[in-house]
Amino acid sequence: MYFTICIPTRNRQRYCIEAIKAIAESEETDFEVIVADNSDDATILDDYFRTQLNDSRFRLLPPESTVLSMVDNWERTMPEVGGRWVSVIGDDDHIDPGVLQLIRRYEREQANLEVVSWARMNYNWPDNRAIQTLAAVPVGHSTHIPDRKTVSNQLYRWSQREKRPAGGFGIYHGAVRRSLMERIKRKYSDRYFEHPTVDFDNTCKVVTEAKAMIFCQRPFSVLGACVASNSASTQSFEAMQKLVDDFYREMGSGQQIQDDDFPFSPKLPGLAIISSIAATTWWFCRKYGVDNDGFQENFAHSAIQECLTSRTAEEYRLKVQGLRIGFEAFEGGKWAALFDPPEEFTPPVSQNQLCGVFKNNMYIRESGLEKIVTPAEFYHFAESFLMPVKHVVSAREVFAA
């Protein structure tokens, strides 16, 4: 078996079934899909597998006797993996199994390759458009070998000073050699996945441990956002608060998102995403002795950028207030002066209104996509203006970043 796709899922069976249906349409044969069901009702996916899905490439892991935390549900997929390469996607996402052709090409060309990353489309399901939304399609197709130092600085030090670090290399919407995952387990607490912010936990370890990494600008997967997803919470403080509360309730005893010396709580209004990512990188570097000198100053600038992307003046006020409290407590307030967002803020009138090409992405107003419902349907629509897979995988050129 060459490639394994893992789909952890909890109480979003409708979306998960659509993800399964779309992947099952692939003519590729050298892959498998493991669905880890962590739902309260085990019958829905079980019935679908027994009565409708007649495909030996798919396997279902049923719910256990108690609800698992997200990180534990991810963890139980790995012993089941039969592929040489493994990827994880969300239950409301899509991945093109044809990406295994790309991985094969890169393995032939790149010695010691252990991580393949690609660009991802972004798409909101029709039930997740409470505000004006845009889908995003990366339109490049080049191949890049990343500079290890640059990637590490972006991830551990937040050197780009943007609201999110550009990690990009990991098992979530990427492909990692199974042998690397085994090496990670041996070195890091005898687990494949350790921190509750599981995707960035893996990215931190992959960037540290991988012998060679490669990136393709051509997208091969879609980050879908349904109304029940973590991404959907960015459209509503109320939705975000509920998801955070549910996440903490199901996280399990003995697990925590932030260390005591990092006082930026994901529970603060509007700050769940930036706080959880920053807490993960801070935790990883402290626990495993990774140098992240400069993180504090860069994070202060990133926090300002987080505030400036607010949709409303009230959202801006709440984010500034929460982050200011955090910086006043962080390392004795040493970095508080660097968190200096403007006193007045007016949201841009055109936010999520304009569509077109900007910085190698095609932005599409989703209100005009009446006939497109699922991430897979959006992927196939977007392929009409992307480099065909057969041309990407047949190319020989590799361009260093």
Side-chain angles (χ1 to χ4, degrees), residues 48-62:
Y48 176 73
F49 268 75
R50 285 190 302 102
T51 65
Q52 298 185 54
L53 181 66
N54 182 25
D55 195 323
S56 61
R57 297 174 297 181
F58 291 78
R59 284 189 286 140
L60 176 65
L61 304 183

Side-chain angles (χ1 to χ4, degrees), residues 5-9 12-21 23-24 32-39 41-63 91:
I5 301 166
C6 296
I7 308 179
T9 181
R12 299 198 304 217
Q13 297 94 330
R14 174 169 76 89
Y15 306 100
C16 187
I17 288 171
E18 291 298 333
I20 293 169
K21 286 180 180 178
I23 295 171
E32 64 176 357
V33 178
I34 298 172
V35 179
D37 188 14
N38 192 30
S39 302
D41 185 350
T43 64
I44 300 174
L45 284 176
D46 180 66
D47 288 347
Y48 176 73
F49 268 75
R50 285 190 302 102
T51 65
Q52 298 185 54
L53 181 66
N54 182 25
D55 195 323
S56 61
R57 297 174 297 181
F58 291 78
R59 284 189 286 140
L60 176 65
L61 304 183
D91 52 13

